[in-house]
Amino acid sequence: MHVIASFEHSIYLELAITALEEAGIPKEHIYAVSLQGRPHRPKMFDTIHRSDGVSLFDAGTALATAFTVIGSTYGFILKGGAILWGLIGAAVGFIIGVIIDIVHKKKKKGNLPSRNKITEVIVLVACEQEETKQIQGVFWEHHAFGVAICD
């Protein structure tokens, strides 16, 4: 049997491994692997194959619509006509909306994974079936993110 747990890289991980050793689990049966962090920063623009669910064009299309209505309305009064001022309003509104989304996304970096964030550590323990509940209890007591038991 194998018991697998994920931990934050902290003192609780060390305490859990020490508690397992004190419970009689040999060091040769305990494996701890630190996951590597993201090698590069997330990309700002989505592609057709990769998307993070955050769109930069939502505010742009909304503001383009609003500015089109305003531009075409005042275009009846201004020189050039409603169609020209509607197109100018659409372009200006879209550019302003995209700039707002980019600034907002840069300020909201906290939700994106960063290079400075400490990664998780996966701990795998090879044991007998009778020991699984005890090992699982040790992991939960030491603040594991998740625990799984595999045959």
Side-chain angles (χ1 to χ4, degrees):
M1 302 279 306
H2 291 91
V3 180
I4 304 168
S6 65
F7 285 88
E8 183 179 9
H9 205 298
S10 68
I11 191 69
Y12 295 114
L13 169 65
E14 301 296 329
L15 291 172
I17 293 173
T18 304
L20 290 175
E21 290 173 357
E22 289 175 357
I25 306 296
K27 282 185 180 182
E28 298 82 32
H29 292 177
I30 302 172
Y31 307 100
V33 179
S34 179
L35 300 177
Q36 291 183 353
R38 181 181 287 270
H40 51 81
R41 298 189 61 90
K43 295 181 180 174
M44 181 67 99
F45 295 101
D46 295 338
T47 65
I48 194 168
H49 301 291
R50 183 202 58 82
S51 175
D52 59 0
V54 178
S55 174
L56 293 177
F57 300 110
D58 291 343
T61 54
L63 287 178
T65 304
F67 279 47
T68 298
V69 171
I70 294 169
S72 59
T73 301
Y74 286 107
F76 287 110
I77 302 170
L78 299 173
K79 191 174 189 177
I83 294 176
L84 176 65
W85 284 104
L87 292 173
I88 291 171
V92 169
F94 185 77
I95 290 169
I96 291 172
V98 169
I99 290 171
I100 289 171
D101 275 342
I102 288 173
V103 169
H104 180 63
K105 187 173 181 180
K106 284 191 179 209
K107 283 186 180 180
K108 200 176 172 186
K109 269 188 193 174
N111 294 342
L112 298 174
S114 75
R115 295 174 76 174
N116 299 332
K117 185 176 180 183
I118 298 173
T119 61
E120 292 183 31
V121 177
I122 304 298
V123 179
L124 183 132
V125 179
C127 62
E128 298 298 323
Q129 184 156 358
E130 305 83 43
E131 299 171 318
T132 57
K133 293 295 181 194
Q134 177 187 13
I135 294 170
Q136 189 177 22
V138 168
F139 285 154
W140 286 127
E141 287 174 14
H142 291 89
H143 308 288
F145 288 145
V147 178
I149 299 174
C150 302
D151 290 331

